[in-house]
């Protein structure tokens, strides 16, 4: 078995092992090297810093501590104090400084230890970064990346378990990326750093230690994934499952189970929440005639709400054989208790149930 | 000839005169430069005060007068346009505070940057936006420096980063701009202006800390005009000694109604930053004649007498005019001529700002992003999507 060659670290859950079984079922993947999401992110930042002197990273614990989640490991030793800057725990101040530096010609990578703390700085993300280009009639662009872990982790309670995908995707002037695999992370983070506009890059703490196959192409320093394009993670003909970040994993597990029952689900990894790749979703729905969105974020005004609304507004609506539905996190703050926490997020079994209900299977 | 000139200057100058003895010759007995005593400073964690006197050349005197008077005249016109309902929404006038901007600007080098808050019209003009660029932005017309898309609080030009409508948000941005200048190896500084109201914003203290920690060449300028909207400084701040509120950041209190004193303080601050000492706080004591914005008559929280008294005793333009004429640096006739020129230039710009058209509706969706990735942009209705276009010349491309 191909996956036996992969060193599995202690964070590895059985869920991801099952994912790797699937991933390594193709020849392309057999040739690929495994890399953790963390290392993919690290190499993206490292390569872009090497390439462009204007790129620097700042945030809490990014330098001497090697990053709270070790995403910036080794960068301080390599690039020094000037380009890897530890900030005090003052998000509003350092986010504003990062935006100002971008206006003045630098390309900051501004790390939020988690996106929950970006709430302290959201004025600078929206009012200072996203709107300035428009307000200045195209004069002052803000080439900045805000990045860090987003969404629910494990056992960290309500204030540290929230998805900000919908919050940021709501705002024109921002690009919002929510990657899933190591390839996503590397190719999209490099694209984000090179982009001349503000990009919000939503990582997932529980994926940091997970290994995914990296193609030879993805290992190259020139590897870029274009922002705004979704990826079909698993083709299928009966129903379309649209997800982002860790919910893609939930869908893939469900799709595997469904496949055993003769239902071929097509799993779309959105990769970008803004722009939203409606062309990919539309094409899939026109093929499968069924749609479910899956996300860990809250339902109200969520990413799924947007996907479904856009389908409803378009001709693609007529291709649906059944109502499209959303699978989301429960509409509640995140509890600490383990069983409740598990129940607060969509599980693969929820997806299986929903698919069967929609397909009347 | 020479002794007569000295005498004539000595007689007319009420204070402070050290005639330097450079005179323009036989033509008119006027000096080409004069040294004036400056208003006293207050120091916070600084060993040495800026010079207590400064030399003003005739050329600079005319320049500062022209700048201050132009800012005042443009604000007067803006106030009228607002009353005529041609300027919409917000309009925050700078009248009374001109010496702060003109004094600081005169100390800056071409590669220094400025960012301010919403009271931005005067600064935009001083940093390089012409009369029409400012007034047409106020009226929302295509000749505005942001094509009418920014409005009164959002004007930009080279090295001028706005105009910011969020109280205090410009302060971290200014520190970031200064960090960028330092990172890129220039000796440029960024002037980051805020009012006595914004001085209480938490983010200001956050960036005092980082600016000092990292020796960022940022000049924090607290323009203390006495009121944050309708709340007096005393009612909002546990300490109104704003120049000391950076704690470990050195500070300087400056009479913001005296353009020469401000200039010397700003020069001192630029030297402080460029010598590697990191940031500095300037508190400029000033006053705004108008209300906070146009919806505020400015009379419920202060008396008309108070405003009147400042106009009569501390006005930055009147006092400067008196200083430069009584010292025979310039003649009243010269100033009168300048007044006329300013009036006609601003009036001409006002006419354009009133008659100019707004940008076409197709620009509603222009310049949302430098690299816009969405092929269409959602309209109010889903049936007729719009397209993006790139028009402006981005600074970082």
């Amino acid at each position: 078995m191909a996956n036996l060659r992969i060193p599995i670290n202690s964070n590895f859950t059985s869920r991801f092992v099952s994912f790797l079984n699937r991933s390594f079922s193709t020849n392309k993947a057999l040739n690929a090297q495994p890399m953790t999401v963390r290392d993919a992110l690290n190499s993206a930042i490292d390569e872009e810093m090497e390439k462009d002197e204007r790129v620097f990273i700042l945030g809490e614990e990014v330098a001497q501590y090697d990053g709270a989640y070790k995403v910036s490991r080794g960068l301080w030793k390599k690039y020094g104090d000037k380009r890897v800057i530890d900030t005090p725990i003052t998000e509003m101040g350092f986010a504003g400084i990062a935006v100002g530096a971008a206006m003045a010609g630098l390309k900051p990578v501004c790390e939020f230890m988690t996106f929950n703390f970006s709430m302290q700085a959201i004025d600078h993300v929206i009012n200072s970064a996203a709107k300035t280009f428009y307000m200045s009639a195209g004069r002052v662009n803000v080439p900045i990346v805000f990045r860090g872990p987003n969404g629910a982790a494990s056992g960290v309670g309500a204030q540290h378990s929230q998805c900000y995908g919908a919050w940021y995707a709501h705002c024109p002037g921002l690009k919002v990326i929510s990657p899933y695999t190591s390839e996503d992370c590397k190719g999209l983070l490099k694209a984000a750093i090179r982009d001349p506009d503000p990009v919000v890059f939503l990582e997932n703490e529980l994926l940091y230690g997970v290994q995914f196959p990296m193609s030879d192409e993805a290992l190259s320093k020139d590897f870029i994934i274009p922002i705004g394009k979704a990826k079909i993670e698993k083709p299928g003909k009966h129903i379309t499952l649209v997800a982002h970040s860790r919910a893609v994993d939930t869908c893939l597990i469900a799709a595997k189970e469904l496949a055993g029952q003769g239902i071929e689900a097509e799993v779309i990894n959105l990769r970008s929440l803004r722009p939203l790749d409606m062309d990919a979703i539309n094409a899939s729905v026109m093929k499968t005639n069924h749609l479910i969105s899956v996300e860990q974020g809250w339902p109200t005004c969520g990413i799924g709400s947007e996907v479904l609304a856009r389908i409803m507004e378009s001709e693609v609506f007529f291709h649906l054989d059944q109502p499209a539905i959303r699978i989301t996190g429960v509409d509640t703050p995140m509890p600490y208790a383990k069983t409740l926490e598990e129940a607060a997020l969509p599980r693969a079994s929820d997806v299986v149930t929903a698919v069967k209900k929609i397909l009347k299977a | 000839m020479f002794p007569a000139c000295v005498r004539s200057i000595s007689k007319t100058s009420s204070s402070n005169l050290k005639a330097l003895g450079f005179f323009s010759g036989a033509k008119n007995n006027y000096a080409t430069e004069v040294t004036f005593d400056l208003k006293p400073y207050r120091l916070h964690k600084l060993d040495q005060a800026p010079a207590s006197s400064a030399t003003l050349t005739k050329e600079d005197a005319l320049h500062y007068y022209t700048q201050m008077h132009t800012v005042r005249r443009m604000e007067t016109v803006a106030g009228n346009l607002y009353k005529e309902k041609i300027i919409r929404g917000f309009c925050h006038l700078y009248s009374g505070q001109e010496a702060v901007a003109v004094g600081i600007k005169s100390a800056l080098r071409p590669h220094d940057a400025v960012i301010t808050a919403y009271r931005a019209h005067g600064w935009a003009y001083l940093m390089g936006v012409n009369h029409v660029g400012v007034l047409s932005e106020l009226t929302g017309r295509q000749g505005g420096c942001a094509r009418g898309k920014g409005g009164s609080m959002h004007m930009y030009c080279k090295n001028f980063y706005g105009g910011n409508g969020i109280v205090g948000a410009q302060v971290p941005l200014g520190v970031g701009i200064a960090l960028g200048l330092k990172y890129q190896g220039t000796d440029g500084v960024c002037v980051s202006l805020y009012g006595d109201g914004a001085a209480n914003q938490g983010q200001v203290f956050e960036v005092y800390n980082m600016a000092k920690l990292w020796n960022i060449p940022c000049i924090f300028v607290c323009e203390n005009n006495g009121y944050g909207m309708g709340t007096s400084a005393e009612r909002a701040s546990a300490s109104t000694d704003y120049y000391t509120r950076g704690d470990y950041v050195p500070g300087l209190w400056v009479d913001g109604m005296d353009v020469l004193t401000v200039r010397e303080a700003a020069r001192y601050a630029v030297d402080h930053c460029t010598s590697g000492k990191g940031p500095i706080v300037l508190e400029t004591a000033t006053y705004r004649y108008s209300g906070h914005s146009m919806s505020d008559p400015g009379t419920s929280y202060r008396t008309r007498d108070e405003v009147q008294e400042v106009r009569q005793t501390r006005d930055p333009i009147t006092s400067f005019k008196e200083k430069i004429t009584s010292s025979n640096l310039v003649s009243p006739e010269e100033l009168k001529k300048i007044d006329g020129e300013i009036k006609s230039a601003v009036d001409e710009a006002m006419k354009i700002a009133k008659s100019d058209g707004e940008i076409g509706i197709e620009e509603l969706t222009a310049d949302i992003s430098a690299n816009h990735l969405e092929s269409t942009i959602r309209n109010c209705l889903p049936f007729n999507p719009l397209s993006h276009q790139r028009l402006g010349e981005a600074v970082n491309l």
Side-chain angles (χ1 to χ4, degrees):
Chain A
M1 290 290 291
N3 65 316
L4 295 180
R5 290 192 281 112
I6 300 163
I8 293 173
N9 73 24
S10 56
N11 291 343
F12 226 69
T13 67
S14 56
R15 265 175 149 184
F16 296 117
V17 174
S18 71
F19 160 73
L20 285 169
N21 276 325
R22 283 190 314 276
S23 291
F24 278 58
S25 63
T26 66
N27 287 334
K28 187 187 172 194
L30 274 172
N31 296 329
Q33 297 184 34
M35 183 184 273
T36 62
V37 162
R38 174 182 292 113
D39 288 345
L41 293 165
N42 180 276
S43 62
I45 301 169
D46 187 10
E47 287 170 15
E48 293 308 299
M49 287 183 73
E50 210 167 70
K51 178 173 175 284
D52 187 344
E53 184 74 25
R54 295 171 299 173
V55 179
F56 73 104
I57 178 166
L58 80 171
E60 294 153 7
E61 309 295 359
V62 298
Q64 298 195 17
Y65 193 92
D66 269 339
Y69 295 98
K70 309 300 172 197
V71 169
S72 56
R73 178 155 39 203
L75 297 177
W76 177 65
K77 282 211 175 77
K78 184 169 177 186
Y79 297 101
D81 290 331
K82 182 184 175 189
R83 300 182 65 196
V84 184
I85 303 173
D86 274 332
T87 65
I89 308 169
T90 51
E91 281 81 7
M92 192 174 201
F94 75 69
I97 288 176
V99 173
M103 291 172 172
L106 302 186
K107 295 179 80 69
V109 177
C110 176
E111 176 173 312
F112 291 122
M113 192 182 287
T114 84
F115 261 93
N116 302 283
F117 314 146
S118 78
M119 302 302 292
Q120 297 248 356
I122 198 165
D123 176 60
H124 284 298
V125 181
I126 309 299
N127 276 315
S128 300
K131 295 181 187 172
T132 296
F133 194 63
Y134 189 82
M135 293 192 297
S136 65
R139 176 174 183 87
V140 183
N141 63 312
V142 184
I144 188 170
V145 177
F146 299 101
R147 52 154 290 274
N150 169 64
S154 243
V156 292
Q159 291 183 334
H160 289 67
S161 305
Q162 186 179 339
C163 176
Y164 290 91
W167 288 55
Y168 290 113
H170 185 64
C171 304
L174 287 182
K175 293 163 187 170
V176 182
I177 296 171
S178 183
Y180 168 51
T181 66
S182 299
E183 282 194 359
D184 287 359
C185 283
K186 186 178 176 195
L188 286 164
L189 184 52
K190 285 165 71 77
I193 293 170
R194 292 183 192 186
D195 198 90
D197 298 309
V199 180
V200 172
F201 195 90
L202 304 167
E203 298 155 14
N204 187 291
E205 182 195 327
L206 296 177
L207 292 173
Y208 279 148
V210 177
Q211 290 178 311
F212 290 92
M214 289 282 274
S215 63
D216 287 346
E217 187 198 3
L219 293 170
S220 151
K221 289 186 177 182
D222 301 320
F223 180 63
I224 291 284
I225 293 176
I227 299 170
K229 299 290 176 203
K231 182 190 176 195
I232 296 173
E233 292 287 347
K234 178 195 166 301
K237 59 186 178 190
H238 295 127
I239 189 163
T240 300
L241 302 175
V242 175
H244 70 95
S245 187
R246 209 164 148 251
V248 178
D249 188 66
T250 311
C251 291
L252 288 171
I253 295 167
K256 191 179 180 197
E257 188 179 330
L258 289 163
Q261 300 170 37
I263 298 171
E264 295 299 329
E266 178 147 300
V267 178
I268 296 182
N269 167 10
L270 281 174
R271 284 181 163 171
S272 298
L273 306 182
R274 185 182 190 103
L276 202 49
D277 189 353
M278 285 312 294
D279 290 346
I281 299 169
N282 289 341
S284 180
V285 172
M286 286 162 72
K287 180 172 73 175
T288 65
N289 309 115
H290 297 89
L291 172 65
I292 296 177
S293 68
V294 187
E295 68 194 304
Q296 295 199 336
W298 288 318
T300 307
C301 307
I303 299 299
S305 312
E306 182 61 25
V307 170
L308 266 59
R310 291 199 196 186
I311 293 288
M312 179 79 91
E313 284 177 351
S314 77
E315 296 292 316
V316 181
F317 172 75
F318 298 109
H319 291 266
L320 284 174
D321 288 346
Q322 292 293 327
I325 66 161
R326 296 168 296 161
I327 297 177
T328 68
V330 178
D331 205 4
T332 173
M334 182 63 76
Y336 168 69
K338 193 165 188 291
T339 46
L340 271 63
E341 183 188 79
E342 281 169 6
L345 295 173
R347 290 169 280 200
S349 58
D350 297 321
V351 178
V352 170
T353 303
V355 167
K356 287 177 156 178
K357 190 170 168 65
I358 293 295
L359 294 178
K360 301 187 192 306
Chain B
M1 193 63 214
F2 182 66
C5 292
V6 172
R7 196 171 55 247
S8 117
I9 293 167
S10 303
K11 258 198 309 199
T12 49
S13 139
S14 54
S15 62
N16 61 48
L17 158 80
K18 266 183 257 155
L20 281 194
F22 299 105
F23 299 102
S24 57
K27 269 203 311 205
N28 56 14
N29 290 357
Y30 282 99
T32 55
E33 62 179 50
V34 175
T35 298
F36 292 99
D37 285 344
L38 301 177
K39 299 291 173 64
Y41 300 96
R42 288 182 221 153
L43 309 185
H44 171 68
K45 298 203 171 155
L46 288 168
D47 295 330
Q48 199 169 0
S52 56
S53 65
T55 300
L56 177 65
T57 66
K58 175 167 181 155
E59 187 187 356
D60 283 346
L62 292 172
H63 187 53
Y64 305 158
Y65 178 82
T66 304
Q67 288 189 319
M68 288 198 289
H69 195 99
T70 302
V71 171
R72 174 77 56 95
R73 181 71 201 160
M74 282 169 63
E75 294 295 55
T76 303
V77 163
N80 293 337
L81 288 170
Y82 195 91
K83 285 169 198 145
E84 290 175 50
K85 298 190 191 303
I86 295 169
I87 295 176
R88 309 166 59 237
F90 295 110
C91 186
H92 309 87
L93 304 181
Y94 200 61
S95 300
Q97 304 184 207
E98 297 88 349
V100 178
V102 172
I104 292 172
K105 175 66 174 81
S106 69
L108 299 182
R109 292 93 33 95
H111 55 291
D112 292 326
V114 172
I115 187 166
T116 187
Y118 42 80
R119 215 172 291 287
H121 321 158
W123 266 111
Y125 166 72
L126 295 174
M127 291 300 287
V129 180
N130 64 23
H131 307 95
V132 174
V134 172
L135 291 176
S136 287
E137 192 58 39
L138 289 171
T139 57
R141 309 302 166 88
Q142 61 187 351
C145 61
R147 300 187 61 70
K149 289 169 72 176
S152 76
M153 304 186 289
H154 307 295
M155 302 182 183
Y156 308 83
C157 64
K158 184 174 167 56
N159 295 333
F160 180 58
Y161 293 90
N164 197 306
I166 309 296
V167 174
Q170 75 282 5
V171 184
L173 297 176
V175 176
I177 292 160
L179 181 144
L181 294 170
K182 182 180 175 185
Y183 186 106
Q184 290 166 99
T186 78
D187 76 337
V189 304
C190 183
V191 176
S192 203
L193 298 113
Y194 54 98
D196 47 285
N200 295 319
Q201 272 271 346
Q203 58 186 320
V204 174
F205 295 92
E206 293 188 16
V207 298
Y208 282 158
N209 180 45
M210 283 178 275
K212 184 62 184 172
L213 205 54
W214 303 335
N215 263 351
I216 303 293
C218 180
I219 303 174
F220 296 96
V221 178
C222 177
E223 291 187 84
N224 179 1
N225 63 19
Y227 299 91
M229 279 191 76
T231 305
S232 68
E234 292 72 22
R235 291 176 59 229
S237 297
S239 162
T240 55
D241 290 331
Y242 296 101
Y243 68 108
T244 68
R245 288 182 56 174
D247 187 1
Y248 36 78
V249 181
L252 191 59
W253 181 95
V254 185
D255 184 334
M257 304 302 260
D258 184 74
V259 67
L260 270 190
T261 306
V262 174
R263 183 189 74 180
E264 291 311 304
R267 284 178 177 170
Y268 177 96
V270 170
D271 287 346
H272 180 93
C273 286
T274 54
S275 65
K277 293 179 191 159
I280 186 169
V281 177
L282 298 189
E283 176 187 348
T284 58
T286 185
Y287 199 80
R288 83 169 133 72
Y289 294 146
S290 306
H292 163 73
S293 64
M294 299 308 289
S295 58
D296 168 26
T299 50
S300 66
Y301 49 88
R302 60 183 186 181
T303 61
R304 288 180 198 279
D305 288 348
E306 177 185 302
V307 182
Q308 212 42 41
E309 192 192 331
V310 177
R311 276 190 190 275
Q312 281 162 9
T313 60
R314 292 172 60 203
D315 184 81
I317 300 176
T318 311
S319 61
F320 187 66
K321 187 175 178 178
E322 156 70 15
K323 185 184 297 224
I324 59 178
T325 52
S326 64
S327 60
N328 278 1
L329 194 57
V330 299
S331 70
E333 292 71 33
E334 285 173 289
L335 296 185
K336 206 169 176 183
K337 182 164 169 273
I338 289 171
D339 291 352
E341 287 165 1
I342 290 170
K343 185 174 186 305
S344 57
V346 175
D347 285 353
E348 183 58 30
M350 176 184 69
K351 277 184 206 147
I352 296 170
K354 283 167 90 164
S355 61
D356 200 6
E358 294 190 354
I359 51 177
I361 198 73
E362 70 282 358
E363 283 195 48
L364 172 62
T365 49
D367 293 327
I368 296 170
S369 309
N371 175 29
H372 201 76
L373 299 174
E374 285 158 284
S375 54
T376 60
I377 294 168
R378 180 64 152 72
N379 207 333
C380 293
L381 301 179
F383 316 120
N384 51 348
L386 302 168
S387 59
H388 187 261
Q389 34 171 343
R390 275 287 293 115
L391 296 173
E393 197 178 321
V395 289
N396 292 324
L397 285 179

